[in-house]
Amino acid sequence: MSARRYVYDAPEAAAQACAKNTAGVLEGILARAPAATLAISGGSTPRRMFEFLAGAAIDWARVHLFWVDERAVPPSDPQSNYLAAEQTLIRPARIPPENVHRIRAELPPEEAATAYADEIREYFRLKPDELPAFDIVHCGMGADAHTASLFPGEPLIEDGAKIAAAVYVKKLAQHRITLLPGVLRKAAHVVFLVGGEDKRAALRAVFEGPYDPLEYPAQLVARGGAEGDVLWFLDRAAAGPVDKR
Ligand code: 6PG
C-alpha cells in the first residue's frame, strides 16, 4: 500500500495529527469489532502524541495495547517505554490493566522476547508460524533510520517469519526486545511520527535513497511491502524546507 507523508510546521501539530489519525483508526475498528489492537513505540517523540491520544473519546476498555519494542530494563526504569506510556497514555486514558500487554523486560532478554511472542500468539489465537495483524502500529525513527529496535546492520531486519526477538544494540550497549519486520508489515495501519532536524538526512535516505533496509531499517515498512497503509507525520524540521520548484 502507499506511504503518505503529512508535514506540519510545529512538532505539536504533527503529534496532534498523528494522535487524531490513530484515534480515528481505533474508532473505525471499534465500530465493527469487539476490540482493537494498538502497538506503540517508545523514545521521546511520541510522549505528546500519547497525551493527545489519551484525550480521545475512545472506548479504551476495548483497546488492547502492545509495544513495538522495549529496552531491557525494569518497568520502573526511566528508560522504559512502558513507563513513558503509563505516564502519558495508560493512566490518563484509564486503559484497563488486563488490556496492557507489557513486554516483561525485567526478564533476561531472550526470555522476555519469548514470553512476549507467546502472549501475542495467545491474544491473537495464532496458528503455528502465523503472524499477528495489529490494527494499528505506531513507529518512530532514529537519526540512523532505525525503527522499532531494528538498527542498521541488524540481521533480523531480514527476518519475515518470527514475531519478536531480543537484540543487542552495540552503539547503545543495550539489549532490547523488538517486534520483527513480518509483524510491522502485516499491520492494517502503520503511523510514523518523526520530528527534528536530526532526522532529516535519514528521512531523505529512507524515501529517496537506494532500497537497503539493512542500512536504512525504516525502509522495511516504508518501502518494503507493508500490507496496510503507512502514514508519516513529520514536522518541518525533519521534513526539510518546502520544495519550491
Ligand atoms: C525506542 C523506540 C525507537 C524510537 C526511535 C526514535 O525504544 O527508542 O521504539 O524506535 O522510535 O529511537 O526515538 P526518539 O523519538 O527518542 O527520537
Side-chain angles (χ1 to χ4, degrees), residues 54-100:
I58 293 172
D59 181 1
W60 289 105
R62 294 196 292 141
V63 177
H64 282 258
L65 185 64
F66 294 80
W67 274 260
V68 169
D69 65 345
E70 183 57 279
R71 293 80 181 275
V73 296
S76 57
D77 188 298
Q79 295 186 82
S80 163
N81 290 339
Y82 164 80
L83 182 63
E86 206 280 332
Q87 293 166 343
T88 56
L89 176 59
I90 298 167
R91 196 178 326 151
R94 296 191 179 84
I95 300 178
E98 62 272 22
N99 291 22
V100 178

mmCIF file of all heavy atoms in Angstrom, residues 54-100:
data_model
loop_
_atom_site.group_PDB
_atom_site.id
_atom_site.type_symbol
_atom_site.label_atom_id
_atom_site.label_comp_id
_atom_site.label_asym_id
_atom_site.label_seq_id
_atom_site.Cartn_x
_atom_site.Cartn_y
_atom_site.Cartn_z
ATOM 1 N N ALA A 54 -4.608 10.032 24.578
ATOM 2 C CA ALA A 54 -5.299 9.694 25.841
ATOM 3 C C ALA A 54 -6.580 10.514 25.996
ATOM 4 O O ALA A 54 -7.533 10.091 26.642
ATOM 5 C CB ALA A 54 -4.371 9.946 27.024
ATOM 6 N N GLY A 55 -6.608 11.667 25.349
ATOM 7 C CA GLY A 55 -7.787 12.547 25.462
ATOM 8 C C GLY A 55 -8.867 12.242 24.439
ATOM 9 O O GLY A 55 -9.948 12.837 24.450
ATOM 10 N N ALA A 56 -8.588 11.280 23.556
ATOM 11 C CA ALA A 56 -9.587 10.963 22.511
ATOM 12 C C ALA A 56 -10.757 10.191 23.116
ATOM 13 O O ALA A 56 -10.591 9.431 24.085
ATOM 14 C CB ALA A 56 -8.928 10.120 21.414
ATOM 15 N N ALA A 57 -11.930 10.412 22.535
ATOM 16 C CA ALA A 57 -13.141 9.753 23.063
ATOM 17 C C ALA A 57 -13.221 8.332 22.509
ATOM 18 O O ALA A 57 -13.981 8.028 21.593
ATOM 19 C CB ALA A 57 -14.371 10.554 22.641
ATOM 20 N N ILE A 58 -12.390 7.481 23.075
ATOM 21 C CA ILE A 58 -12.322 6.077 22.635
ATOM 22 C C ILE A 58 -12.744 5.183 23.790
ATOM 23 O O ILE A 58 -12.457 5.470 24.946
ATOM 24 C CB ILE A 58 -10.868 5.734 22.233
ATOM 25 C CG1 ILE A 58 -10.459 6.505 20.979
ATOM 26 C CG2 ILE A 58 -10.709 4.241 21.964
ATOM 27 C CD1 ILE A 58 -8.984 6.356 20.655
ATOM 28 N N ASP A 59 -13.401 4.101 23.466
ATOM 29 C CA ASP A 59 -13.757 3.115 24.499
ATOM 30 C C ASP A 59 -12.505 2.277 24.779
ATOM 31 O O ASP A 59 -12.318 1.174 24.242
ATOM 32 C CB ASP A 59 -14.901 2.231 23.992
ATOM 33 C CG ASP A 59 -15.317 1.215 25.057
ATOM 34 O OD1 ASP A 59 -14.724 1.245 26.169
ATOM 35 O OD2 ASP A 59 -16.221 0.396 24.768
ATOM 36 N N TRP A 60 -11.635 2.844 25.637
ATOM 37 C CA TRP A 60 -10.336 2.200 25.900
ATOM 38 C C TRP A 60 -10.486 0.814 26.496
ATOM 39 O O TRP A 60 -9.569 -0.001 26.425
ATOM 40 C CB TRP A 60 -9.490 3.088 26.785
ATOM 41 C CG TRP A 60 -8.983 4.322 26.097
ATOM 42 C CD1 TRP A 60 -9.434 5.602 26.251
ATOM 43 C CD2 TRP A 60 -7.942 4.385 25.112
ATOM 44 N NE1 TRP A 60 -8.729 6.457 25.422
ATOM 45 C CE2 TRP A 60 -7.811 5.736 24.718
ATOM 46 C CE3 TRP A 60 -7.103 3.431 24.519
ATOM 47 C CZ2 TRP A 60 -6.877 6.161 23.760
ATOM 48 C CZ3 TRP A 60 -6.164 3.857 23.580
ATOM 49 C CH2 TRP A 60 -6.064 5.206 23.200
ATOM 50 N N ALA A 61 -11.641 0.538 27.062
ATOM 51 C CA ALA A 61 -11.857 -0.807 27.638
ATOM 52 C C ALA A 61 -11.864 -1.871 26.544
ATOM 53 O O ALA A 61 -11.744 -3.066 26.835
ATOM 54 C CB ALA A 61 -13.179 -0.830 28.393
ATOM 55 N N ARG A 62 -11.924 -1.394 25.278
ATOM 56 C CA ARG A 62 -11.922 -2.360 24.167
ATOM 57 C C ARG A 62 -10.665 -2.247 23.304
ATOM 58 O O ARG A 62 -10.608 -2.789 22.194
ATOM 59 C CB ARG A 62 -13.179 -2.164 23.311
ATOM 60 C CG ARG A 62 -14.470 -2.514 24.058
ATOM 61 C CD ARG A 62 -15.639 -2.686 23.089
ATOM 62 N NE ARG A 62 -16.035 -1.423 22.460
ATOM 63 C CZ ARG A 62 -16.411 -1.313 21.185
ATOM 64 N NH1 ARG A 62 -16.360 -2.377 20.398
ATOM 65 N NH2 ARG A 62 -16.790 -0.151 20.683
ATOM 66 N N VAL A 63 -9.673 -1.521 23.830
ATOM 67 C CA VAL A 63 -8.404 -1.401 23.097
ATOM 68 C C VAL A 63 -7.325 -2.180 23.836
ATOM 69 O O VAL A 63 -7.139 -1.989 25.050
ATOM 70 C CB VAL A 63 -7.975 0.078 22.970
ATOM 71 C CG1 VAL A 63 -6.606 0.179 22.272
ATOM 72 C CG2 VAL A 63 -9.018 0.879 22.187
ATOM 73 N N HIS A 64 -6.631 -3.040 23.123
ATOM 74 C CA HIS A 64 -5.522 -3.797 23.722
ATOM 75 C C HIS A 64 -4.206 -3.188 23.251
ATOM 76 O O HIS A 64 -3.997 -3.007 22.042
ATOM 77 C CB HIS A 64 -5.633 -5.273 23.363
ATOM 78 C CG HIS A 64 -6.663 -5.965 24.215
ATOM 79 N ND1 HIS A 64 -6.338 -6.750 25.289
ATOM 80 C CD2 HIS A 64 -8.023 -5.903 24.177
ATOM 81 C CE1 HIS A 64 -7.438 -7.191 25.874
ATOM 82 N NE2 HIS A 64 -8.479 -6.693 25.215
ATOM 83 N N LEU A 65 -3.379 -2.853 24.241
ATOM 84 C CA LEU A 65 -2.144 -2.103 23.989
ATOM 85 C C LEU A 65 -0.940 -3.039 24.043
ATOM 86 O O LEU A 65 -0.764 -3.787 25.011
ATOM 87 C CB LEU A 65 -1.998 -1.000 25.048
ATOM 88 C CG LEU A 65 -0.837 -0.032 24.887
ATOM 89 C CD1 LEU A 65 -0.983 0.800 23.608
ATOM 90 C CD2 LEU A 65 -0.743 0.887 26.112
ATOM 91 N N PHE A 66 -0.145 -2.951 23.007
ATOM 92 C CA PHE A 66 1.090 -3.730 22.915
ATOM 93 C C PHE A 66 2.234 -2.770 22.615
ATOM 94 O O PHE A 66 2.010 -1.584 22.355
ATOM 95 C CB PHE A 66 0.983 -4.758 21.773
ATOM 96 C CG PHE A 66 -0.050 -5.844 21.990
ATOM 97 C CD1 PHE A 66 -1.400 -5.593 21.756
ATOM 98 C CD2 PHE A 66 0.329 -7.115 22.396
ATOM 99 C CE1 PHE A 66 -2.350 -6.599 21.948
ATOM 100 C CE2 PHE A 66 -0.624 -8.124 22.577
ATOM 101 C CZ PHE A 66 -1.953 -7.865 22.361
ATOM 102 N N TRP A 67 3.469 -3.275 22.640
ATOM 103 C CA TRP A 67 4.636 -2.452 22.345
ATOM 104 C C TRP A 67 5.346 -2.962 21.096
ATOM 105 O O TRP A 67 5.414 -4.179 20.870
ATOM 106 C CB TRP A 67 5.591 -2.428 23.548
ATOM 107 C CG TRP A 67 5.206 -1.353 24.524
ATOM 108 C CD1 TRP A 67 5.756 -0.117 24.664
ATOM 109 C CD2 TRP A 67 4.135 -1.412 25.483
ATOM 110 N NE1 TRP A 67 5.105 0.590 25.648
ATOM 111 C CE2 TRP A 67 4.101 -0.175 26.142
ATOM 112 C CE3 TRP A 67 3.180 -2.379 25.821
ATOM 113 C CZ2 TRP A 67 3.161 0.117 27.140
ATOM 114 C CZ3 TRP A 67 2.248 -2.105 26.810
ATOM 115 C CH2 TRP A 67 2.255 -0.862 27.459
ATOM 116 N N VAL A 68 5.871 -2.019 20.340
ATOM 117 C CA VAL A 68 6.716 -2.378 19.188
ATOM 118 C C VAL A 68 8.087 -2.817 19.682
ATOM 119 O O VAL A 68 8.704 -3.728 19.116
ATOM 120 C CB VAL A 68 6.842 -1.176 18.231
ATOM 121 C CG1 VAL A 68 7.923 -1.411 17.173
ATOM 122 C CG2 VAL A 68 5.497 -0.890 17.560
ATOM 123 N N ASP A 69 8.534 -2.162 20.743
ATOM 124 C CA ASP A 69 9.839 -2.560 21.285
ATOM 125 C C ASP A 69 9.972 -2.042 22.713
ATOM 126 O O ASP A 69 9.158 -1.253 23.194
ATOM 127 C CB ASP A 69 10.983 -2.058 20.420
ATOM 128 C CG ASP A 69 11.097 -0.543 20.391
ATOM 129 O OD1 ASP A 69 10.135 0.143 20.795
ATOM 130 O OD2 ASP A 69 12.130 -0.051 19.967
ATOM 131 N N GLU A 70 11.001 -2.527 23.384
ATOM 132 C CA GLU A 70 11.227 -2.158 24.785
ATOM 133 C C GLU A 70 12.703 -2.316 25.103
ATOM 134 O O GLU A 70 13.383 -3.183 24.549
ATOM 135 C CB GLU A 70 10.386 -3.035 25.722
ATOM 136 C CG GLU A 70 10.487 -2.695 27.213
ATOM 137 C CD GLU A 70 10.105 -1.255 27.526
ATOM 138 O OE1 GLU A 70 10.960 -0.355 27.348
ATOM 139 O OE2 GLU A 70 8.943 -1.042 27.936
ATOM 140 N N ARG A 71 13.168 -1.437 25.922
ATOM 141 C CA ARG A 71 14.552 -1.561 26.382
ATOM 142 C C ARG A 71 14.589 -2.656 27.438
ATOM 143 O O ARG A 71 13.616 -2.863 28.168
ATOM 144 C CB ARG A 71 15.021 -0.234 26.975
ATOM 145 C CG ARG A 71 15.153 0.911 25.967
ATOM 146 C CD ARG A 71 13.813 1.556 25.637
ATOM 147 N NE ARG A 71 13.894 2.639 24.673
ATOM 148 C CZ ARG A 71 14.175 3.903 24.978
ATOM 149 N NH1 ARG A 71 14.450 4.219 26.208
ATOM 150 N NH2 ARG A 71 14.230 4.834 24.022
ATOM 151 N N ALA A 72 15.687 -3.344 27.541
ATOM 152 C CA ALA A 72 15.813 -4.453 28.508
ATOM 153 C C ALA A 72 16.094 -3.882 29.891
ATOM 154 O O ALA A 72 17.192 -3.989 30.451
ATOM 155 C CB ALA A 72 16.922 -5.417 28.087
ATOM 156 N N VAL A 73 15.054 -3.236 30.416
ATOM 157 C CA VAL A 73 15.134 -2.608 31.748
ATOM 158 C C VAL A 73 13.809 -2.877 32.462
ATOM 159 O O VAL A 73 12.787 -3.137 31.820
ATOM 160 C CB VAL A 73 15.362 -1.086 31.640
ATOM 161 C CG1 VAL A 73 16.712 -0.769 30.995
ATOM 162 C CG2 VAL A 73 14.226 -0.398 30.897
ATOM 163 N N PRO A 74 13.793 -2.777 33.792
ATOM 164 C CA PRO A 74 12.528 -2.966 34.517
ATOM 165 C C PRO A 74 11.549 -1.836 34.192
ATOM 166 O O PRO A 74 11.958 -0.754 33.751
ATOM 167 C CB PRO A 74 12.949 -2.914 35.987
ATOM 168 C CG PRO A 74 14.431 -3.034 36.007
ATOM 169 C CD PRO A 74 14.948 -2.566 34.684
ATOM 170 N N PRO A 75 10.251 -2.085 34.445
ATOM 171 C CA PRO A 75 9.240 -1.086 34.105
ATOM 172 C C PRO A 75 9.353 0.202 34.910
ATOM 173 O O PRO A 75 8.725 1.198 34.579
ATOM 174 C CB PRO A 75 7.923 -1.811 34.380
ATOM 175 C CG PRO A 75 8.273 -2.932 35.286
ATOM 176 C CD PRO A 75 9.681 -3.316 34.989
ATOM 177 N N SER A 76 10.135 0.165 35.970
ATOM 178 C CA SER A 76 10.302 1.383 36.786
ATOM 179 C C SER A 76 11.485 2.239 36.318
ATOM 180 O O SER A 76 11.708 3.342 36.797
ATOM 181 C CB SER A 76 10.545 0.964 38.241
ATOM 182 O OG SER A 76 11.692 0.105 38.271
ATOM 183 N N ASP A 77 12.229 1.691 35.339
ATOM 184 C CA ASP A 77 13.437 2.387 34.877
ATOM 185 C C ASP A 77 13.064 3.581 34.000
ATOM 186 O O ASP A 77 12.187 3.463 33.144
ATOM 187 C CB ASP A 77 14.292 1.394 34.071
ATOM 188 C CG ASP A 77 15.656 1.964 33.702
ATOM 189 O OD1 ASP A 77 15.694 2.982 32.973
ATOM 190 O OD2 ASP A 77 16.662 1.419 34.156
ATOM 191 N N PRO A 78 13.705 4.739 34.158
ATOM 192 C CA PRO A 78 13.373 5.910 33.338
ATOM 193 C C PRO A 78 13.493 5.654 31.833
ATOM 194 O O PRO A 78 12.883 6.333 31.027
ATOM 195 C CB PRO A 78 14.389 6.962 33.789
ATOM 196 C CG PRO A 78 14.863 6.508 35.130
ATOM 197 C CD PRO A 78 14.750 5.022 35.161
ATOM 198 N N GLN A 79 14.267 4.628 31.449
ATOM 199 C CA GLN A 79 14.399 4.322 30.009
ATOM 200 C C GLN A 79 13.250 3.448 29.485
ATOM 201 O O GLN A 79 13.190 3.168 28.292
ATOM 202 C CB GLN A 79 15.717 3.593 29.749
ATOM 203 C CG GLN A 79 16.971 4.404 30.026
ATOM 204 C CD GLN A 79 18.191 3.615 29.597
ATOM 205 O OE1 GLN A 79 18.545 3.603 28.406
ATOM 206 N NE2 GLN A 79 18.802 2.933 30.532
ATOM 207 N N SER A 80 12.399 2.991 30.395
ATOM 208 C CA SER A 80 11.360 2.030 29.999
ATOM 209 C C SER A 80 10.294 2.675 29.103
ATOM 210 O O SER A 80 9.701 3.695 29.468
ATOM 211 C CB SER A 80 10.675 1.469 31.256
ATOM 212 O OG SER A 80 9.445 0.850 30.931
ATOM 213 N N ASN A 81 10.045 2.076 27.948
ATOM 214 C CA ASN A 81 8.972 2.560 27.078
ATOM 215 C C ASN A 81 7.619 2.361 27.743
ATOM 216 O O ASN A 81 6.692 3.159 27.549
ATOM 217 C CB ASN A 81 9.004 1.843 25.724
ATOM 218 C CG ASN A 81 10.198 2.259 24.881
ATOM 219 O OD1 ASN A 81 10.783 3.326 25.112
ATOM 220 N ND2 ASN A 81 10.577 1.431 23.932
ATOM 221 N N TYR A 82 7.527 1.298 28.543
ATOM 222 C CA TYR A 82 6.263 1.072 29.271
ATOM 223 C C TYR A 82 6.006 2.226 30.234
ATOM 224 O O TYR A 82 4.909 2.781 30.294
ATOM 225 C CB TYR A 82 6.305 -0.252 30.056
ATOM 226 C CG TYR A 82 5.211 -0.310 31.090
ATOM 227 C CD1 TYR A 82 3.915 -0.634 30.724
ATOM 228 C CD2 TYR A 82 5.467 0.041 32.417
ATOM 229 C CE1 TYR A 82 2.886 -0.625 31.655
ATOM 230 C CE2 TYR A 82 4.444 0.058 33.359
ATOM 231 C CZ TYR A 82 3.159 -0.269 32.973
ATOM 232 O OH TYR A 82 2.135 -0.238 33.892
ATOM 233 N N LEU A 83 7.051 2.626 30.978
ATOM 234 C CA LEU A 83 6.874 3.692 31.983
ATOM 235 C C LEU A 83 6.398 4.977 31.307
ATOM 236 O O LEU A 83 5.472 5.640 31.785
ATOM 237 C CB LEU A 83 8.189 3.945 32.725
ATOM 238 C CG LEU A 83 8.138 4.992 33.837
ATOM 239 C CD1 LEU A 83 7.190 4.571 34.953
ATOM 240 C CD2 LEU A 83 9.547 5.243 34.412
ATOM 241 N N ALA A 84 7.002 5.301 30.165
ATOM 242 C CA ALA A 84 6.608 6.534 29.452
ATOM 243 C C ALA A 84 5.143 6.449 29.033
ATOM 244 O O ALA A 84 4.369 7.404 29.196
ATOM 245 C CB ALA A 84 7.496 6.732 28.238
ATOM 246 N N ALA A 85 4.735 5.286 28.539
ATOM 247 C CA ALA A 85 3.346 5.123 28.092
ATOM 248 C C ALA A 85 2.394 5.121 29.278
ATOM 249 O O ALA A 85 1.282 5.634 29.209
ATOM 250 C CB ALA A 85 3.200 3.825 27.308
ATOM 251 N N GLU A 86 2.831 4.557 30.391
ATOM 252 C CA GLU A 86 1.989 4.521 31.600
ATOM 253 C C GLU A 86 1.675 5.947 32.050
ATOM 254 O O GLU A 86 0.545 6.303 32.388
ATOM 255 C CB GLU A 86 2.728 3.747 32.702
ATOM 256 C CG GLU A 86 1.841 3.099 33.743
ATOM 257 C CD GLU A 86 1.360 4.066 34.806
ATOM 258 O OE1 GLU A 86 2.088 5.049 35.060
ATOM 259 O OE2 GLU A 86 0.261 3.865 35.360
ATOM 260 N N GLN A 87 2.689 6.811 31.958
ATOM 261 C CA GLN A 87 2.521 8.207 32.419
ATOM 262 C C GLN A 87 1.690 9.043 31.448
ATOM 263 O O GLN A 87 0.936 9.910 31.857
ATOM 264 C CB GLN A 87 3.911 8.844 32.578
ATOM 265 C CG GLN A 87 4.733 8.236 33.714
ATOM 266 C CD GLN A 87 6.213 8.632 33.642
ATOM 267 O OE1 GLN A 87 6.705 9.096 32.609
ATOM 268 N NE2 GLN A 87 6.931 8.413 34.724
ATOM 269 N N THR A 88 1.829 8.779 30.137
ATOM 270 C CA THR A 88 1.231 9.693 29.148
ATOM 271 C C THR A 88 -0.028 9.150 28.496
ATOM 272 O O THR A 88 -0.791 9.900 27.908
ATOM 273 C CB THR A 88 2.263 9.983 28.033
ATOM 274 O OG1 THR A 88 2.681 8.738 27.473
ATOM 275 C CG2 THR A 88 3.458 10.741 28.584
ATOM 276 N N LEU A 89 -0.231 7.836 28.584
ATOM 277 C CA LEU A 89 -1.383 7.235 27.883
ATOM 278 C C LEU A 89 -2.205 6.316 28.789
ATOM 279 O O LEU A 89 -3.387 6.540 28.998
ATOM 280 C CB LEU A 89 -0.892 6.451 26.653
ATOM 281 C CG LEU A 89 -1.929 5.688 25.847
ATOM 282 C CD1 LEU A 89 -3.024 6.609 25.306
ATOM 283 C CD2 LEU A 89 -1.264 4.921 24.688
ATOM 284 N N ILE A 90 -1.558 5.318 29.351
ATOM 285 C CA ILE A 90 -2.314 4.290 30.093
ATOM 286 C C ILE A 90 -3.078 4.888 31.278
ATOM 287 O O ILE A 90 -4.289 4.688 31.415
ATOM 288 C CB ILE A 90 -1.367 3.173 30.566
ATOM 289 C CG1 ILE A 90 -0.727 2.474 29.365
ATOM 290 C CG2 ILE A 90 -2.098 2.161 31.454
ATOM 291 C CD1 ILE A 90 0.440 1.576 29.712
ATOM 292 N N ARG A 91 -2.369 5.670 32.075
ATOM 293 C CA ARG A 91 -3.040 6.240 33.276
ATOM 294 C C ARG A 91 -4.073 7.299 32.867
ATOM 295 O O ARG A 91 -5.241 7.195 33.234
ATOM 296 C CB ARG A 91 -2.006 6.812 34.250
ATOM 297 C CG ARG A 91 -2.613 7.034 35.645
ATOM 298 C CD ARG A 91 -1.638 7.555 36.676
ATOM 299 N NE ARG A 91 -0.296 7.061 36.509
ATOM 300 C CZ ARG A 91 0.779 7.781 36.896
ATOM 301 N NH1 ARG A 91 0.630 8.984 37.422
ATOM 302 N NH2 ARG A 91 1.988 7.305 36.753
ATOM 303 N N PRO A 92 -3.708 8.273 32.043
ATOM 304 C CA PRO A 92 -4.712 9.291 31.668
ATOM 305 C C PRO A 92 -5.937 8.709 30.949
ATOM 306 O O PRO A 92 -7.060 9.136 31.170
ATOM 307 C CB PRO A 92 -3.936 10.228 30.741
ATOM 308 C CG PRO A 92 -2.497 9.959 30.976
ATOM 309 C CD PRO A 92 -2.383 8.567 31.479
ATOM 310 N N ALA A 93 -5.727 7.686 30.126
ATOM 311 C CA ALA A 93 -6.857 7.099 29.376
ATOM 312 C C ALA A 93 -7.559 6.016 30.191
ATOM 313 O O ALA A 93 -8.601 5.505 29.779
ATOM 314 C CB ALA A 93 -6.362 6.510 28.059
ATOM 315 N N ARG A 94 -6.981 5.689 31.324
ATOM 316 C CA ARG A 94 -7.542 4.634 32.183
ATOM 317 C C ARG A 94 -7.716 3.315 31.411
ATOM 318 O O ARG A 94 -8.769 2.690 31.430
ATOM 319 C CB ARG A 94 -8.867 5.043 32.814
ATOM 320 C CG ARG A 94 -8.782 6.228 33.772
ATOM 321 C CD ARG A 94 -10.100 6.388 34.573
ATOM 322 N NE ARG A 94 -10.019 7.510 35.502
ATOM 323 C CZ ARG A 94 -10.276 8.779 35.140
ATOM 324 N NH1 ARG A 94 -10.601 9.042 33.874
ATOM 325 N NH2 ARG A 94 -10.173 9.773 36.030
ATOM 326 N N ILE A 95 -6.646 2.941 30.706
ATOM 327 C CA ILE A 95 -6.688 1.658 29.981
ATOM 328 C C ILE A 95 -6.639 0.545 31.019
ATOM 329 O O ILE A 95 -5.748 0.534 31.879
ATOM 330 C CB ILE A 95 -5.495 1.535 29.000
ATOM 331 C CG1 ILE A 95 -5.547 2.677 27.968
ATOM 332 C CG2 ILE A 95 -5.524 0.186 28.296
ATOM 333 C CD1 ILE A 95 -4.383 2.685 26.967
ATOM 334 N N PRO A 96 -7.583 -0.380 30.978
ATOM 335 C CA PRO A 96 -7.622 -1.440 31.997
ATOM 336 C C PRO A 96 -6.337 -2.273 31.989
ATOM 337 O O PRO A 96 -5.825 -2.587 30.912
ATOM 338 C CB PRO A 96 -8.821 -2.297 31.591
ATOM 339 C CG PRO A 96 -9.628 -1.443 30.663
ATOM 340 C CD PRO A 96 -8.672 -0.509 30.000
ATOM 341 N N PRO A 97 -5.830 -2.623 33.165
ATOM 342 C CA PRO A 97 -4.565 -3.399 33.232
ATOM 343 C C PRO A 97 -4.580 -4.665 32.379
ATOM 344 O O PRO A 97 -3.588 -5.013 31.769
ATOM 345 C CB PRO A 97 -4.444 -3.730 34.721
ATOM 346 C CG PRO A 97 -5.274 -2.713 35.428
ATOM 347 C CD PRO A 97 -6.372 -2.329 34.485
ATOM 348 N N GLU A 98 -5.762 -5.296 32.312
ATOM 349 C CA GLU A 98 -5.819 -6.563 31.531
ATOM 350 C C GLU A 98 -5.668 -6.323 30.031
ATOM 351 O O GLU A 98 -5.438 -7.248 29.260
ATOM 352 C CB GLU A 98 -7.122 -7.315 31.820
ATOM 353 C CG GLU A 98 -8.405 -6.584 31.445
ATOM 354 C CD GLU A 98 -8.924 -5.685 32.569
ATOM 355 O OE1 GLU A 98 -8.125 -5.304 33.454
ATOM 356 O OE2 GLU A 98 -10.118 -5.334 32.512
ATOM 357 N N ASN A 99 -5.757 -5.045 29.632
ATOM 358 C CA ASN A 99 -5.585 -4.704 28.203
ATOM 359 C C ASN A 99 -4.154 -4.296 27.879
ATOM 360 O O ASN A 99 -3.849 -3.967 26.740
ATOM 361 C CB ASN A 99 -6.497 -3.525 27.823
ATOM 362 C CG ASN A 99 -7.957 -3.892 27.838
ATOM 363 O OD1 ASN A 99 -8.352 -4.852 28.482
ATOM 364 N ND2 ASN A 99 -8.772 -3.129 27.129
ATOM 365 N N VAL A 100 -3.320 -4.240 28.897
ATOM 366 C CA VAL A 100 -1.949 -3.744 28.715
ATOM 367 C C VAL A 100 -1.004 -4.939 28.639
ATOM 368 O O VAL A 100 -0.792 -5.640 29.626
ATOM 369 C CB VAL A 100 -1.558 -2.806 29.879
ATOM 370 C CG1 VAL A 100 -0.112 -2.332 29.709
ATOM 371 C CG2 VAL A 100 -2.504 -1.605 29.927
#
